[in-house]
Amino acid sequence: MIAQYGWSDELALAFGPHAQAGHTPARVVAQHRDGYLVATDQGELRANLSGRLHHEAQEADPPSVGDWVALALNPADGAATIEAVLPRRTVLTRRAADSLGKLQVIAANVDVVFVVSSMNADLNPRRIERYLAAAWQSGARPVVVLTKSDLSDDPQGQAAEIVALAAGAPVLLVSARDSLGLEALLAQVAPGEVCVLIGSSGVGKSTLVNAFLGQDRMTIAAIREADDQGRHTTSHRQLVLLPGGALLLDTPGIREVGLIDAEEGMSEAFDDIEQLAGDCRFNDCGHSHEPGCRVQSALASGALDPGRWANFQKLGLELAAVGQKADRIAKAAERRQSAALQKTYRATKRDRRGGAD
């Protein structure tokens, strides 16, 4: 079964030490509040973290859907314990909603990131730029998917606007209702590769999953006229086998992707601005009133969209704030560790003096 989920000779080589320890390879195919569902050669099993991994997950990110893991099988109850996680080839992350500096894994070991946005009232170029920065940072191939093209009065015009900001990523028009663009979408993912759909709730991700599978696996309600949003979305992350041999990692709708450690992704997503800034007369150009500023020249001529420039600045400030917060947290942790060591040292010295008396 794990061959269907992308198991390879390269993974088998990396798994060698775990095999010697008597563990079984598996892939995480679903993540629930009370544990994981994993695919093994023995079939699908329920799994929970080992005590060590559970402890480590308090400081780092726990296993995510798409991860390859090493299991200790529990044949008596048909379950398993996750003992280790193999190194990730790619990883899609965002800033945790409840923390400025904590990273949250959305998907692991994916090959294609479909950035999905509908062509109804929800089409937002600035949000797509944010998603693209995260997608480029993941190491996977980003593809922009514009759904519900049948609801747009000018689908080609809207698509051209997104092509201009997509930094070379393909932009596909899709209408599940009219069966438009689905074959081109599937052609982006080869057999054995994993794709992931990211986008706000109601943009049509579950509809795409149903179209891929040829069945109504995901329950979907009609679009509300008031806000163009679907009434039902995926409730948990899951890895789904597609008929052609590819795999799809379906995720709950994400209204925002808070960027973290995404400098490389920003450079890819805003490559045009990076090139303009590199051609400024002065290396330390602030891109405001300096002579010979290519950014300001592009803004004045209309070659650079002011909204795109403002979003680039906004996301850059966001990344800087996250970095500063992370530095403060790290320094505070170092101070606490140093204070604890000093306290232990002083206590040891007192004990020794007391013993000498």
Side-chain angles (χ1 to χ4, degrees), residues 249-319:
L249 202 161
D250 191 42
T251 69
I254 301 169
R255 192 68 186 176
E256 287 290 346
V257 172
L259 297 181
I260 182 170
D261 293 337
E263 286 76 10
E264 294 180 10
M266 281 280 292
S267 295
E268 291 283 354
F270 294 92
D271 181 65
D272 55 334
I273 294 179
E274 294 278 354
Q275 290 188 33
L276 286 172
D279 292 337
C280 288
R281 180 183 301 177
F282 301 109
N283 292 333
D284 60 347
C285 184
H287 313 303
S288 55
H289 305 292
E290 294 84 352
C293 176
R294 291 294 304 278
V295 172
Q296 288 300 318
S297 294
L299 287 169
S301 68
L304 176 59
D305 177 13
R308 180 168 171 79
W309 169 241
N311 199 37
F312 173 78
Q313 292 179 300
K314 174 186 175 181
L315 297 181
L317 290 173
E318 181 179 316
L319 281 176

Side-chain angles (χ1 to χ4, degrees), residues 117-126 128 144-166 171-174 228:
S117 183
S118 63
M119 301 189 77
N120 54 7
D122 194 57
L123 186 63
N124 185 328
R126 306 288 80 88
I128 291 174
V144 180
V145 182
L146 302 179
T147 63
K148 306 178 185 176
S149 61
D150 54 288
L151 300 180
S152 172
D153 295 330
D154 183 21
Q156 296 301 327
Q158 286 185 301
E161 179 184 1
I162 303 305
V163 169
L165 60 81
V171 177
L172 305 179
L173 288 176
V174 172
D228 292 311

Side-chain angles (χ1 to χ4, degrees), residues 190-251:
E193 289 189 329
V194 179
C195 62
V196 62
L197 306 172
I198 62 172
S200 304
S201 298
V203 298
K205 294 189 287 82
S206 294
T207 302
L208 291 180
V209 174
N210 287 340
F212 288 158
L213 291 167
Q215 56 180 300
D216 290 336
R217 177 163 176 165
M218 306 295 175
T219 303
I220 308 160
I223 297 176
R224 293 193 304 259
E225 293 182 1
D227 57 8
D228 292 311
Q229 300 296 314
R231 291 199 299 269
H232 179 82
T233 57
T234 304
S235 61
H236 59 272
R237 297 181 180 91
Q238 54 187 315
L239 191 61
V240 182
L241 284 168
L242 300 179
L247 298 105
L248 185 145
L249 202 161
D250 191 42
T251 69

Side-chain angles (χ1 to χ4, degrees), residues 25-224:
R27 192 163 201 182
V28 178
V29 297
Q31 184 175 354
H32 304 277
R33 291 184 178 180
D34 58 348
Y36 299 87
L37 184 67
V38 298
T40 74
D41 272 339
Q42 290 76 33
E44 292 186 346
L45 299 172
R46 293 284 178 180
N48 289 295
L49 299 181
S50 67
R52 177 181 57 82
L53 276 186
H54 183 77
H55 175 73
E56 292 176 355
Q58 305 303 315
E59 299 296 329
D61 54 287
S64 182
V65 176
D67 269 325
W68 288 99
V69 297
L71 299 180
L73 300 179
N74 306 317
D77 53 11
T81 302
I82 299 176
E83 299 289 347
V85 181
L86 270 64
R88 291 163 174 160
R89 181 170 43 83
T90 64
V91 58
L92 179 66
T93 63
R94 69 166 178 169
R95 190 180 71 244
D98 59 348
S99 172
L100 183 61
K102 186 176 180 181
L103 178 146
Q104 180 185 36
V105 175
I106 300 174
N109 299 312
V110 297
D111 301 280
V112 180
V113 177
F114 288 124
V115 176
V116 185
S117 183
S118 63
M119 301 189 77
N120 54 7
D122 194 57
L123 186 63
N124 185 328
R126 306 288 80 88
R127 187 184 300 144
I128 291 174
E129 287 172 340
R130 176 184 288 271
Y131 279 123
L132 278 171
W136 284 114
Q137 184 68 28
S138 74
R141 305 191 306 274
V143 177
V144 180
V145 182
L146 302 179
T147 63
K148 306 178 185 176
S149 61
D150 54 288
L151 300 180
S152 172
D153 295 330
D154 183 21
Q156 296 301 327
Q158 286 185 301
E161 179 184 1
I162 303 305
V163 169
L165 60 81
V171 177
L172 305 179
L173 288 176
V174 172
S175 171
R177 179 181 298 175
D178 298 336
S179 298
L180 172 69
L182 294 175
E183 290 186 6
L185 189 65
L186 281 173
Q188 296 289 329
V189 192
E193 289 189 329
V194 179
C195 62
V196 62
L197 306 172
I198 62 172
S200 304
S201 298
V203 298
K205 294 189 287 82
S206 294
T207 302
L208 291 180
V209 174
N210 287 340
F212 288 158
L213 291 167
Q215 56 180 300
D216 290 336
R217 177 163 176 165
M218 306 295 175
T219 303
I220 308 160
I223 297 176
R224 293 193 304 259

